[in-house]
Amino acid sequence: MENDAPPLVLVLAGAGYGQQAPLLWWTRSIAQAAGCEVVAPAWVVDDAAGADPVPFVEAAVHAALGDRLPDLVVAKSFGCAALPWALRHGVPGIWLTPVLTDGAVAAALAAATDAHVAIGGSDDPVWRPERVSGTAARLQTVDRVGHTLEVPGDWRASQRVQADVLAHVEQRVRASVR
């Protein structure tokens, strides 16, 4: 029975930040511990994909899910090119370091509802929250971190930052299980 299916969490990697990287590794662990099914497609970002990430990511999502829709998307950087797809399908998301210098990603986040959370670092050149002013999405800027959401030269502070980010993930995952 479809109603008995566990919630589905879609985890999307960055171009150079794979599924084994800390934020995505722990996202998978959090979702599985909550009883969710996790789909985490792998990809290799070539020049064509890098030049036009939205259709590349949407094709990868379709290949991984078919017509199924997840209950939640958690994406890092390049994977945030799924934002337009998520909005079209009413799928809430947590968007970690979205590339807001990409017009399609910025436009989607600007149109997002409060079902979306976007987190970026104050020292990340692609985290440009001013490009999405007026959005209903919840935006969080983490001070003194760059695109990896790590504090340069301080692994303990980096762990604390990432634990705070993962608390958002856990909260959203638990809400999707209810």
Side-chain angles (χ1 to χ4, degrees):
M1 244 180 146
E2 188 152 332
N3 289 344
D4 294 333
L8 175 60
V9 177
L10 177 64
V11 180
L12 300 175
Y17 195 94
Q19 299 291 352
Q20 81 291 352
L23 290 167
L24 301 181
W25 177 269
W26 290 114
T27 291
R28 174 189 288 272
S29 181
I30 289 164
Q32 288 174 332
C36 297
E37 177 185 354
V38 176
V39 173
W43 49 49
V44 175
V45 179
D46 60 15
D47 290 342
D52 199 6
V54 171
F56 175 87
V57 170
E58 289 188 10
V61 167
H62 181 72
L65 297 178
D67 291 333
R68 295 171 57 197
L69 290 178
D71 297 282
L72 178 67
V73 177
V74 180
K76 174 74 172 87
S77 188
F78 181 84
C80 294
L83 251 159
W85 172 88
L87 263 57
R88 281 196 313 275
H89 291 89
V91 177
I94 298 180
W95 310 99
L96 306 175
T97 66
V99 180
L100 297 181
T101 55
D102 179 292
V105 173
L109 187 56
T113 68
D114 65 357
H116 298 270
V117 176
I119 302 171
S122 64
D123 296 344
D124 182 357
V126 302
W127 175 247
R128 305 280 304 274
E130 71 277 4
R131 296 196 70 200
V132 297
S133 64
T135 185
R138 287 170 276 158
L139 305 181
Q140 179 180 346
T141 300
V142 182
D143 288 335
R144 301 180 353 172
V145 303
H147 195 65
T148 59
L149 294 178
E150 295 177 20
V151 178
D154 191 339
W155 67 268
R156 285 183 179 94
S158 296
Q159 281 186 322
R160 286 189 294 274
V161 164
Q162 292 191 358
D164 290 345
V165 169
L166 291 166
H168 286 286
V169 172
E170 182 180 36
Q171 178 184 24
R172 297 303 298 275
V173 166
R174 295 216 182 277
S176 71
V177 172
R178 291 186 189 125

Short mmCIF file of all heavy atoms in Angstrom, two decimals, residues 7-13 17-43 64 72-75 94 96 165-166 169-170 173-174 177:
data_model
loop_
_atom_site.label_atom_id
_atom_site.label_comp_id
_atom_site.label_asym_id
_atom_site.label_seq_id
_atom_site.Cartn_x
_atom_site.Cartn_y
_atom_site.Cartn_z
N PRO A 7 8.42 7.96 4.44
CA PRO A 7 8.71 9.24 3.78
C PRO A 7 9.99 9.11 2.95
O PRO A 7 10.91 8.36 3.31
CB PRO A 7 8.92 10.21 4.95
CG PRO A 7 8.20 9.58 6.10
CD PRO A 7 8.33 8.10 5.89
N LEU A 8 10.03 9.84 1.87
CA LEU A 8 11.16 9.80 0.95
C LEU A 8 11.94 11.11 1.04
O LEU A 8 11.36 12.18 0.88
CB LEU A 8 10.66 9.58 -0.48
CG LEU A 8 11.69 9.62 -1.60
CD1 LEU A 8 12.77 8.56 -1.41
CD2 LEU A 8 10.99 9.44 -2.94
N VAL A 9 13.24 11.00 1.28
CA VAL A 9 14.12 12.16 1.31
C VAL A 9 15.09 12.05 0.14
O VAL A 9 15.77 11.03 -0.02
CB VAL A 9 14.89 12.24 2.65
CG1 VAL A 9 15.87 13.42 2.63
CG2 VAL A 9 13.91 12.38 3.82
N LEU A 10 15.14 13.08 -0.66
CA LEU A 10 16.05 13.16 -1.80
C LEU A 10 17.27 13.98 -1.37
O LEU A 10 17.11 15.12 -0.91
CB LEU A 10 15.35 13.82 -2.98
CG LEU A 10 16.17 14.07 -4.24
CD1 LEU A 10 16.64 12.76 -4.87
CD2 LEU A 10 15.35 14.89 -5.24
N VAL A 11 18.45 13.41 -1.49
CA VAL A 11 19.69 14.08 -1.09
C VAL A 11 20.52 14.31 -2.34
O VAL A 11 20.89 13.36 -3.03
CB VAL A 11 20.47 13.24 -0.05
CG1 VAL A 11 21.75 13.96 0.34
CG2 VAL A 11 19.60 12.96 1.18
N LEU A 12 20.81 15.58 -2.62
CA LEU A 12 21.52 15.94 -3.85
C LEU A 12 22.88 16.55 -3.54
O LEU A 12 22.98 17.51 -2.76
CB LEU A 12 20.68 16.92 -4.66
CG LEU A 12 19.30 16.40 -5.10
CD1 LEU A 12 18.51 17.50 -5.79
CD2 LEU A 12 19.45 15.18 -5.99
N ALA A 13 23.89 16.01 -4.16
CA ALA A 13 25.27 16.43 -3.94
C ALA A 13 25.61 17.72 -4.66
O ALA A 13 24.87 18.18 -5.54
CB ALA A 13 26.21 15.32 -4.41
N TYR A 17 31.20 18.16 -3.89
CA TYR A 17 30.83 17.83 -2.52
C TYR A 17 29.88 16.64 -2.62
O TYR A 17 28.68 16.80 -2.82
CB TYR A 17 30.13 19.03 -1.87
CG TYR A 17 30.01 18.94 -0.36
CD1 TYR A 17 30.97 19.53 0.45
CD2 TYR A 17 28.94 18.29 0.24
CE1 TYR A 17 30.86 19.47 1.83
CE2 TYR A 17 28.83 18.22 1.62
CZ TYR A 17 29.79 18.82 2.41
OH TYR A 17 29.68 18.76 3.79
N GLY A 18 30.46 15.44 -2.53
CA GLY A 18 29.70 14.23 -2.78
C GLY A 18 28.90 13.73 -1.59
O GLY A 18 28.90 14.33 -0.51
N GLN A 19 28.25 12.62 -1.80
CA GLN A 19 27.37 12.03 -0.79
C GLN A 19 28.14 11.59 0.46
O GLN A 19 27.55 11.42 1.51
CB GLN A 19 26.61 10.84 -1.38
CG GLN A 19 25.72 11.19 -2.55
CD GLN A 19 24.52 12.02 -2.17
OE1 GLN A 19 24.22 12.25 -1.00
NE2 GLN A 19 23.79 12.50 -3.17
N GLN A 20 29.45 11.40 0.34
CA GLN A 20 30.25 11.00 1.48
C GLN A 20 30.70 12.19 2.32
O GLN A 20 31.23 12.01 3.42
CB GLN A 20 31.47 10.19 1.02
CG GLN A 20 32.64 11.02 0.52
CD GLN A 20 32.41 11.76 -0.81
OE1 GLN A 20 31.41 11.56 -1.49
NE2 GLN A 20 33.33 12.63 -1.17
N ALA A 21 30.50 13.40 1.85
CA ALA A 21 30.91 14.59 2.59
C ALA A 21 30.02 14.78 3.82
O ALA A 21 28.88 14.32 3.85
CB ALA A 21 30.84 15.81 1.67
N PRO A 22 30.54 15.44 4.86
CA PRO A 22 29.87 15.42 6.16
C PRO A 22 28.40 15.83 6.17
O PRO A 22 27.56 15.12 6.75
CB PRO A 22 30.69 16.40 7.01
CG PRO A 22 31.98 16.53 6.32
CD PRO A 22 31.77 16.20 4.88
N LEU A 23 28.05 16.94 5.57
CA LEU A 23 26.65 17.40 5.65
C LEU A 23 25.69 16.42 4.99
O LEU A 23 24.58 16.19 5.48
CB LEU A 23 26.51 18.79 5.03
CG LEU A 23 27.15 19.91 5.84
CD1 LEU A 23 27.24 21.18 5.01
CD2 LEU A 23 26.39 20.14 7.14
N LEU A 24 26.09 15.81 3.89
CA LEU A 24 25.20 14.87 3.19
C LEU A 24 25.24 13.49 3.83
O LEU A 24 24.22 12.81 3.90
CB LEU A 24 25.55 14.83 1.71
CG LEU A 24 25.44 16.18 1.00
CD1 LEU A 24 25.76 16.04 -0.47
CD2 LEU A 24 24.07 16.81 1.20
N TRP A 25 26.42 13.07 4.31
CA TRP A 25 26.53 11.79 5.01
C TRP A 25 25.60 11.77 6.22
O TRP A 25 24.83 10.83 6.42
CB TRP A 25 27.99 11.58 5.44
CG TRP A 25 28.19 10.32 6.22
CD1 TRP A 25 28.14 10.18 7.57
CD2 TRP A 25 28.45 9.02 5.69
NE1 TRP A 25 28.37 8.87 7.91
CE2 TRP A 25 28.57 8.14 6.78
CE3 TRP A 25 28.61 8.54 4.39
CZ2 TRP A 25 28.83 6.79 6.61
CZ3 TRP A 25 28.88 7.19 4.23
CH2 TRP A 25 28.98 6.33 5.33
N TRP A 26 25.66 12.82 7.03
CA TRP A 26 24.84 12.87 8.23
C TRP A 26 23.36 13.10 7.89
O TRP A 26 22.49 12.62 8.61
CB TRP A 26 25.37 13.92 9.20
CG TRP A 26 26.67 13.48 9.81
CD1 TRP A 26 27.89 14.06 9.64
CD2 TRP A 26 26.89 12.34 10.64
NE1 TRP A 26 28.84 13.35 10.32
CE2 TRP A 26 28.26 12.29 10.95
CE3 TRP A 26 26.06 11.35 11.16
CZ2 TRP A 26 28.83 11.30 11.75
CZ3 TRP A 26 26.61 10.36 11.96
CH2 TRP A 26 27.98 10.34 12.25
N THR A 27 23.08 13.80 6.80
CA THR A 27 21.68 13.95 6.36
C THR A 27 21.09 12.58 6.07
O THR A 27 19.98 12.27 6.51
CB THR A 27 21.60 14.86 5.11
OG1 THR A 27 21.92 16.20 5.51
CG2 THR A 27 20.22 14.83 4.48
N ARG A 28 21.82 11.74 5.35
CA ARG A 28 21.35 10.38 5.06
C ARG A 28 21.13 9.62 6.36
O ARG A 28 20.10 8.97 6.54
CB ARG A 28 22.37 9.65 4.19
CG ARG A 28 22.00 8.17 3.97
CD ARG A 28 23.12 7.39 3.30
NE ARG A 28 23.28 7.73 1.91
CZ ARG A 28 22.63 7.15 0.92
NH1 ARG A 28 21.76 6.21 1.16
NH2 ARG A 28 22.85 7.52 -0.32
N SER A 29 22.07 9.71 7.27
CA SER A 29 21.97 9.00 8.55
C SER A 29 20.75 9.47 9.35
O SER A 29 20.02 8.65 9.91
CB SER A 29 23.26 9.23 9.35
OG SER A 29 23.21 8.55 10.57
N ILE A 30 20.54 10.77 9.40
CA ILE A 30 19.39 11.33 10.12
C ILE A 30 18.08 10.82 9.51
O ILE A 30 17.17 10.40 10.22
CB ILE A 30 19.44 12.87 10.09
CG1 ILE A 30 20.58 13.39 10.98
CG2 ILE A 30 18.10 13.49 10.48
CD1 ILE A 30 20.95 14.85 10.73
N ALA A 31 17.99 10.86 8.20
CA ALA A 31 16.76 10.43 7.51
C ALA A 31 16.51 8.93 7.72
O ALA A 31 15.39 8.52 8.01
CB ALA A 31 16.84 10.77 6.03
N GLN A 32 17.54 8.13 7.59
CA GLN A 32 17.37 6.69 7.77
C GLN A 32 17.00 6.36 9.21
O GLN A 32 16.15 5.50 9.45
CB GLN A 32 18.62 5.94 7.33
CG GLN A 32 18.78 5.96 5.82
CD GLN A 32 20.09 5.35 5.35
OE1 GLN A 32 21.10 5.36 6.04
NE2 GLN A 32 20.08 4.83 4.13
N ALA A 33 17.61 7.04 10.17
CA ALA A 33 17.28 6.80 11.58
C ALA A 33 15.83 7.15 11.89
O ALA A 33 15.22 6.55 12.78
CB ALA A 33 18.22 7.59 12.48
N ALA A 34 15.27 8.10 11.14
CA ALA A 34 13.87 8.49 11.33
C ALA A 34 12.91 7.58 10.57
O ALA A 34 11.70 7.78 10.60
CB ALA A 34 13.67 9.94 10.88
N GLY A 35 13.45 6.59 9.87
CA GLY A 35 12.60 5.66 9.14
C GLY A 35 12.29 6.08 7.71
O GLY A 35 11.39 5.52 7.08
N CYS A 36 13.02 7.03 7.19
CA CYS A 36 12.79 7.50 5.83
C CYS A 36 13.56 6.65 4.83
O CYS A 36 14.63 6.12 5.13
CB CYS A 36 13.24 8.95 5.67
SG CYS A 36 12.34 10.12 6.71
N GLU A 37 13.03 6.60 3.62
CA GLU A 37 13.79 6.09 2.48
C GLU A 37 14.62 7.25 1.95
O GLU A 37 14.15 8.38 1.89
CB GLU A 37 12.84 5.59 1.39
CG GLU A 37 13.55 5.11 0.14
CD GLU A 37 12.60 4.72 -0.99
OE1 GLU A 37 11.36 4.70 -0.78
OE2 GLU A 37 13.11 4.46 -2.08
N VAL A 38 15.85 6.97 1.57
CA VAL A 38 16.73 8.00 1.03
C VAL A 38 17.11 7.63 -0.40
O VAL A 38 17.53 6.50 -0.66
CB VAL A 38 18.00 8.17 1.89
CG1 VAL A 38 18.96 9.18 1.25
CG2 VAL A 38 17.65 8.59 3.31
N VAL A 39 16.96 8.59 -1.29
CA VAL A 39 17.46 8.46 -2.66
C VAL A 39 18.52 9.54 -2.82
O VAL A 39 18.25 10.72 -2.56
CB VAL A 39 16.33 8.62 -3.70
CG1 VAL A 39 16.91 8.65 -5.11
CG2 VAL A 39 15.32 7.49 -3.56
N ALA A 40 19.71 9.12 -3.21
CA ALA A 40 20.84 10.03 -3.32
C ALA A 40 21.59 9.74 -4.62
O ALA A 40 22.57 9.01 -4.62
CB ALA A 40 21.76 9.88 -2.11
N PRO A 41 21.13 10.31 -5.73
CA PRO A 41 21.80 10.03 -7.00
C PRO A 41 23.23 10.55 -7.02
O PRO A 41 23.54 11.58 -6.43
CB PRO A 41 20.94 10.75 -8.04
CG PRO A 41 20.17 11.77 -7.27
CD PRO A 41 20.03 11.26 -5.88
N ALA A 42 24.08 9.80 -7.70
CA ALA A 42 25.47 10.23 -7.89
C ALA A 42 25.59 10.80 -9.30
O ALA A 42 24.85 10.40 -10.20
CB ALA A 42 26.41 9.04 -7.72
N TRP A 43 26.50 11.73 -9.47
CA TRP A 43 26.71 12.29 -10.80
C TRP A 43 28.13 12.78 -10.95
O TRP A 43 28.85 12.97 -9.97
CB TRP A 43 25.74 13.42 -11.10
CG TRP A 43 25.60 14.50 -10.06
CD1 TRP A 43 26.59 15.19 -9.42
CD2 TRP A 43 24.38 15.02 -9.55
NE1 TRP A 43 26.06 16.11 -8.55
CE2 TRP A 43 24.70 16.03 -8.61
CE3 TRP A 43 23.05 14.77 -9.81
CZ2 TRP A 43 23.74 16.77 -7.93
CZ3 TRP A 43 22.09 15.49 -9.12
CH2 TRP A 43 22.44 16.48 -8.20
N ALA A 64 16.38 9.23 -11.16
CA ALA A 64 16.43 8.58 -9.84
C ALA A 64 15.05 8.28 -9.27
O ALA A 64 14.86 7.28 -8.58
CB ALA A 64 17.21 9.46 -8.86
N LEU A 72 10.88 15.52 1.03
CA LEU A 72 11.85 16.56 1.37
C LEU A 72 13.06 16.40 0.45
O LEU A 72 13.45 15.29 0.13
CB LEU A 72 12.30 16.41 2.83
CG LEU A 72 13.35 17.39 3.35
CD1 LEU A 72 12.79 18.81 3.41
CD2 LEU A 72 13.84 16.96 4.72
N VAL A 73 13.63 17.54 0.07
CA VAL A 73 14.90 17.56 -0.66
C VAL A 73 15.92 18.25 0.24
O VAL A 73 15.62 19.29 0.82
CB VAL A 73 14.81 18.36 -1.98
CG1 VAL A 73 16.17 18.41 -2.67
CG2 VAL A 73 13.77 17.79 -2.89
N VAL A 74 17.09 17.65 0.35
CA VAL A 74 18.23 18.32 0.98
C VAL A 74 19.32 18.34 -0.08
O VAL A 74 19.73 17.29 -0.58
CB VAL A 74 18.72 17.59 2.24
CG1 VAL A 74 19.91 18.34 2.86
CG2 VAL A 74 17.58 17.46 3.27
N ALA A 75 19.75 19.55 -0.45
CA ALA A 75 20.71 19.68 -1.55
C ALA A 75 21.85 20.59 -1.14
O ALA A 75 21.67 21.53 -0.37
CB ALA A 75 20.01 20.24 -2.79
N ILE A 94 15.65 21.86 1.93
CA ILE A 94 16.73 22.54 2.65
C ILE A 94 17.85 22.68 1.65
O ILE A 94 18.35 21.68 1.10
CB ILE A 94 17.18 21.74 3.88
CG1 ILE A 94 16.02 21.61 4.86
CG2 ILE A 94 18.39 22.42 4.53
CD1 ILE A 94 16.35 20.84 6.10
N LEU A 96 21.49 23.93 0.95
CA LEU A 96 22.75 24.26 1.59
C LEU A 96 23.68 24.91 0.58
O LEU A 96 24.01 24.31 -0.44
CB LEU A 96 23.39 22.99 2.17
CG LEU A 96 22.49 22.18 3.11
CD1 LEU A 96 23.18 20.89 3.52
CD2 LEU A 96 22.08 23.02 4.32
N VAL A 165 23.55 23.23 11.41
CA VAL A 165 22.91 23.03 10.11
C VAL A 165 22.15 21.70 10.12
O VAL A 165 20.99 21.63 9.68
CB VAL A 165 23.96 23.07 8.97
CG1 VAL A 165 23.35 22.60 7.66
CG2 VAL A 165 24.53 24.47 8.83
N LEU A 166 22.77 20.67 10.63
CA LEU A 166 22.12 19.35 10.65
C LEU A 166 20.93 19.31 11.60
O LEU A 166 20.00 18.51 11.40
CB LEU A 166 23.15 18.27 11.00
CG LEU A 166 24.17 18.04 9.88
CD1 LEU A 166 25.35 17.23 10.40
CD2 LEU A 166 23.53 17.37 8.68
N VAL A 169 18.13 20.08 9.44
CA VAL A 169 17.79 18.89 8.66
C VAL A 169 16.97 17.93 9.51
O VAL A 169 15.91 17.45 9.08
CB VAL A 169 19.08 18.20 8.12
CG1 VAL A 169 18.74 16.85 7.48
CG2 VAL A 169 19.80 19.11 7.13
N GLU A 170 17.43 17.66 10.71
CA GLU A 170 16.72 16.73 11.58
C GLU A 170 15.29 17.20 11.87
O GLU A 170 14.33 16.42 11.82
CB GLU A 170 17.47 16.55 12.89
CG GLU A 170 16.79 15.55 13.82
CD GLU A 170 17.53 15.35 15.11
OE1 GLU A 170 18.11 16.32 15.64
OE2 GLU A 170 17.52 14.20 15.60
N VAL A 173 13.24 16.62 8.71
CA VAL A 173 13.02 15.19 8.49
C VAL A 173 11.96 14.68 9.45
O VAL A 173 11.03 13.98 9.06
CB VAL A 173 14.34 14.39 8.63
CG1 VAL A 173 14.08 12.90 8.75
CG2 VAL A 173 15.26 14.67 7.43
N ARG A 174 12.09 15.03 10.70
CA ARG A 174 11.10 14.57 11.71
C ARG A 174 9.70 15.07 11.38
O ARG A 174 8.73 14.37 11.57
CB ARG A 174 11.54 14.98 13.09
CG ARG A 174 12.82 14.28 13.51
CD ARG A 174 12.86 13.94 14.97
NE ARG A 174 14.11 13.31 15.33
CZ ARG A 174 14.39 12.02 15.17
NH1 ARG A 174 13.49 11.23 14.65
NH2 ARG A 174 15.55 11.53 15.54
N VAL A 177 8.05 12.92 8.82
CA VAL A 177 7.66 11.59 9.29
C VAL A 177 6.28 11.63 9.94
O VAL A 177 5.55 10.65 9.92
CB VAL A 177 8.73 11.04 10.29
CG1 VAL A 177 8.28 9.77 10.95
CG2 VAL A 177 10.04 10.82 9.55
#
